[in-house]
Structures are given as structure tokens and as C-alpha cells.
Amino acid sequence: MPTAVQEAFLKAFHAEHPAVTADAFVTGRSPDGRSSYQILSDRVAGARRVLDLGCGDGVLLDLLARTEGRRLAGVDLSPEALALARRRPSLRTTALAQARAQRLPFADGAFDACVCHMALMLMGDVDRVAAEIARVLSPGSTLACVVGGGPLGGEAYELFSGLLRDAVERAPAEQRIPPLGDRRTRSREGLGAILEPAGFGAPDRETVPIDLSGPVEQVWAALSGIYDVGPLDPAAVSRLRESFVREAAGLAGPDGLVPCGFTVHVVTARLR
């Protein structure tokens, strides 16, 4: 699939849903109580010059800005998401640019860390992305990414995934998303094949469960932001929601909360 087709879809989707990733992930918590954004922020705790690749509406940059004296930058394909980031008071001195990860608008060695939350796995020509990240980092710098994992099993995320799969299979071709990203980003070996030729050491990958449990409508709001839902017609989305709400209600505990969990992979690599 040509990278231009993938990027056109992502830009159109985020024009309609500029804060969708943050809306889904900001309330999720790992077993130690941190969000996936907080985990990434902690992975680059000592860095003074940090680039957020695929920064969206700036929720991760907002966390990074809590350390005084940092020089921050963020890039994203979506002008609508960047507009939200620019509204954050904490980011008034942050360099925010609409740009492609395959051609970053920064000088060689400009940063000593790069973070990327749920975006690397969506990018085409990812070998070029890795080379560009390496170019703008100084030697010894850290790349820290969160990439998607899968359902924990037996909970609302797995239920939603099955219902969505059925809805997409019934939809006409024009209501299906194009293939996104490079599957090598989903495995430790694949990430090594991408990052090591660019100059990084062997990546470390930690699998972390994220808990999104809550009232059924809250869980639906988080899960329904997935890309595959976007192109479906309103009637299909309505049927999907009705089925999910009805079946997920049976999963609720005595407290009324629906268990919902999935895993992410936290990847770190150091530039040699």
C-alpha cells in the first residue's frame, strides 16, 4: 500500500477526530497506576531535548513539559490535532510542526530523546522513519515508543474486537480502512530489523497491560475511536454500539464496571 494512501486516510480521520488517541488512552492505567503516556515520559526522564513523533493533541508533550528547562518539539500529520496542542499553556514554547516522520524538519543531533505513542506502527516507509529519528538524535540518545499489543482475553476489548470484525466484513469495500504501517513493528525481532540498521542498539520490549475498565458507555467511547470504525456508515456504527452495550452489560461486576483491558509494548532503544 503506497505511503501516500495511508497518510491521506490518517489525515482525514484525525481531521474528524483530532484527540481520539488521547481520549482512548489517557484514562487507561498499568498495574502500577501509570498511563502509557506516563510510562513513556518516565523512560526519557533525564533527557533535556525531546521530540514527540506523532504528538497528536499534545498530551504527552504536556507531561514532558512538567520538567523545567526542557526544549520540546512535536510533529504530526494532522493540523487539527496540532491546533489542539497549541492551545495548551504548557506548550507555548514548544516547536510544533506539521511534518512527515520520513522527513523531519530538524537539524542533525538536535535531540537527546524521541518518544512516539501509538504512531510508529502506523507509519509507512518505516525504515526511512528510523533513519530520520537517528539523524536528529545525538549519539547515546534514547528512542522510546508505545506500540499496540492485543486484548487480555475474556473482557470487553475482546468482545468489541469480534463485533467490529463482523461489522467490517459486512461493510462495502469503500468503508474499510487501508492497510496501515509495517507489521515488523509488532515484534521484537521486526523492530530490531528496522532500528539496528539505522544505528540503534538491540531494542528492549516490555509488554504492559492497560486497564480501561469503567461504565459501559465510557468503555464504548474509548474503544469506538479505533480507526476501523471511522469509515463505517452511521447505521452500522449504531448497530455496533447497540450490540456492544447489550453484550458488555453482561460482563459488568457488582460495581457496574465493565472489565476492559489490552496490552501495549513499550519499546526502548539507544542510538549507538
Side-chain angles (χ1 to χ4, degrees), residues 25-30 33-40 63 210:
F25 279 85
V26 76
T27 61
R29 290 294 180 267
S30 64
R34 292 181 296 168
S35 71
S36 51
Y37 292 109
Q38 290 169 320
I39 291 171
L40 273 192
L63 283 174
I210 298 294

Side-chain angles (χ1 to χ4, degrees), residues 36-263:
S36 51
Y37 292 109
Q38 290 169 320
I39 291 171
L40 273 192
S41 180
D42 290 345
R43 291 293 174 97
V44 297
R48 308 304 295 176
R49 304 172 298 157
V50 186
L51 169 65
D52 186 355
L53 195 63
C55 65
D57 69 332
V59 63
L60 177 53
L61 284 168
D62 187 62
L63 283 174
L64 293 166
R66 296 177 188 179
T67 298
E68 292 186 9
R70 271 183 167 155
R71 183 166 69 83
L72 300 176
V75 298
D76 202 275
L77 280 175
S78 170
E80 292 82 7
L82 288 168
L84 295 180
R86 291 189 177 100
R87 295 178 191 173
R88 295 180 181 269
S90 64
L91 304 185
R92 62 185 179 276
T93 61
T94 298
L96 295 169
Q98 184 183 355
R100 301 178 65 247
Q102 295 84 355
R103 189 172 183 178
L104 295 172
F106 304 109
D108 296 1
F111 303 99
D112 48 39
C114 176
V115 291
C116 186
H117 185 275
M118 295 293 288
L120 184 69
M121 63 190 194
L122 302 173
M123 296 176 183
D125 195 7
V126 73
D127 298 285
R128 180 61 190 166
V129 173
E132 274 291 273
I133 296 171
R135 180 185 66 78
V136 302
L137 291 177
S138 58
S141 294
T142 298
L143 168 64
C145 303
V146 164
V147 298
L152 291 174
E155 297 181 332
Y157 186 90
E158 194 168 41
L159 167 65
F160 174 81
S161 297
L163 293 172
L164 176 60
R165 184 168 53 250
D166 292 343
V168 171
E169 288 176 354
R170 290 193 298 269
E174 62 270 19
Q175 293 181 23
R176 299 178 187 179
I177 67 172
L180 297 174
D182 188 317
R183 293 203 63 81
R184 291 179 296 164
T185 59
R186 305 287 184 155
S187 71
R188 189 192 309 272
E189 296 76 15
L191 284 162
I194 294 165
L195 296 174
E196 292 177 43
F200 290 93
D204 175 73
R205 193 181 81 152
E206 177 187 2
T207 300
V208 178
I210 298 294
D211 184 10
L212 278 177
S213 301
V216 65
E217 291 291 352
Q218 177 181 310
V219 173
W220 162 258
L223 297 181
S224 61
I226 194 169
Y227 289 114
D228 302 74
V229 175
L232 296 175
D233 67 53
V237 175
S238 179
R239 289 192 297 270
L240 175 62
R241 178 189 171 281
E242 290 172 3
S243 297
F244 176 78
V245 169
R246 182 178 62 253
E247 297 187 37
L251 299 174
D255 56 3
L257 302 183
V258 174
C260 181
F262 58 92
T263 62

